[in-house]
Amino acid sequence: MVDDIHNMAHEPASDPEAIEEILEEDAVDIDFDDVVEAAAATVEAADAAPPFNEDNSVDSAVVADLERQVAGLKAQLEDRANQSMRIAADFENYRKRTSKEKDELATQIKGDTVIELLPVVDNFERARSQIKPQTEAEMTIHKSYQSVYKQLVETLKRLGVSAMRAEGQEFDPLLHEAVMREPTADHAEGVVIEEFVRGYQLGDRVLRHAMVKVAAPPEDDSQSPDVESTGPSD
């Protein structure tokens, strides 16, 4: 039983009820019944063979035998107590690990689902920036699908998804993907000056890197002046 608990505590999580079934099936091993029975047998043996001679002197052999039995019982009791503590510790570690793996799996599934929805968000944002309704009917349609976009964004926020704000930030390869560098004196080197595709995060996990343009040092167009060479005078 102990080996089963130790093996489950150090193996990938499977059925959380399996370890509980083992504990229920072999609970007698943890109740110290065998130690209690041995102690009772020792007491009975002591009653049957008291450690005194006929002249009321102590029989050292009987006392030594009883001391050995008591020491053995103490060792068994300590072993069972340590065994129970190890089982409890292994079970607690198993419970914590399965809980962590469950949370990580849920986050992974959520992130993969959101990644599939990001192109839909992109299309809504392109429509908002590029389509300019001219008539009242067009404006009605425009507001209608933009309300759907707003609802989608609010749903993503409730799931823990956040959009990156890359422009004006220092370029970070963990968050951004530089697709262009532009020499400029208007921004410090390495600053994001334009965002082409917005990046998204789920907690600390990057779902999509932001595709950006990064400032580079301005090009030096100055040229060294020509130095007129002079030959030896005649």
Side-chain angles (χ1 to χ4, degrees):
M1 176 265 204
V2 177
D3 292 338
D4 292 336
I5 297 294
H6 283 303
N7 291 336
M8 294 187 69
H10 296 88
E11 290 178 356
S14 54
D15 184 1
E17 298 180 355
I19 192 168
E20 297 179 2
E21 293 177 359
I22 293 177
L23 289 174
E24 292 176 359
E25 292 174 358
D26 297 331
V28 66
D29 291 344
I30 306 176
D31 292 337
F32 312 127
D33 288 350
D34 51 348
V35 179
V36 173
E37 291 176 2
T42 301
V43 173
E44 291 177 0
D47 292 340
F52 299 101
N53 297 319
E54 293 180 356
D55 57 357
N56 289 330
S57 62
V58 177
D59 188 336
S60 59
V62 174
V63 172
D65 182 62
L66 291 174
E67 289 178 345
R68 284 193 298 270
Q69 293 184 48
V70 171
L73 290 172
K74 287 182 178 179
Q76 291 183 48
L77 183 61
E78 184 177 357
D79 179 68
R80 295 299 188 277
N82 291 337
Q83 186 181 78
S84 296
M85 292 175 63
R86 290 195 299 270
I87 292 174
D90 285 341
F91 182 77
E92 181 64 16
N93 291 336
Y94 172 82
R95 185 190 64 78
K96 289 180 179 179
R97 191 178 69 253
T98 53
S99 178
K100 180 180 179 181
E101 290 174 354
K102 180 180 178 181
D103 292 341
E104 290 176 347
L105 179 60
T107 301
Q108 178 69 35
I109 294 174
K110 185 190 300 183
D112 292 344
T113 303
V114 171
I115 289 174
E116 297 298 322
L117 293 175
L118 292 182
V120 179
V121 178
D122 294 339
N123 289 333
F124 274 114
E125 292 181 346
R126 292 191 187 97
R128 183 175 61 178
S129 62
Q130 296 177 4
I131 298 178
K132 306 299 181 183
Q134 302 296 325
T135 64
E136 184 177 349
E138 291 175 349
M139 180 59 71
T140 300
I141 297 174
H142 181 73
K143 290 181 178 179
S144 177
Y145 69 72
Q146 285 305 315
S147 65
V148 176
Y149 163 72
K150 182 180 179 181
Q151 184 178 7
L152 176 59
V153 170
E154 290 175 349
T155 300
L156 293 178
K157 287 181 179 179
R158 287 195 297 271
L159 292 174
V161 179
S162 59
M164 299 179 191
R165 303 300 177 185
E167 288 190 21
Q169 302 296 319
E170 188 75 18
F171 175 78
D172 185 347
L174 298 178
L175 304 176
H176 312 137
E177 180 181 350
V179 296
M180 185 180 300
R181 286 172 58 87
E182 180 178 302
T184 177
D186 297 331
H187 299 86
E189 181 181 2
V191 171
V192 175
I193 58 179
E194 187 176 353
E195 180 184 70
F196 298 117
V197 178
R198 180 169 296 177
Y200 289 89
Q201 291 178 277
L202 176 60
D204 295 332
R205 178 190 174 190
V206 176
L207 299 177
R208 186 175 72 186
H209 290 72
M211 302 179 68
V212 298
K213 180 196 295 185
V214 182
E219 296 178 353
D220 187 5
D221 295 331
S222 63
Q223 298 179 354
S224 301
D226 294 333
V227 178
E228 182 179 354
S229 60
T230 57
S233 57
D234 294 337

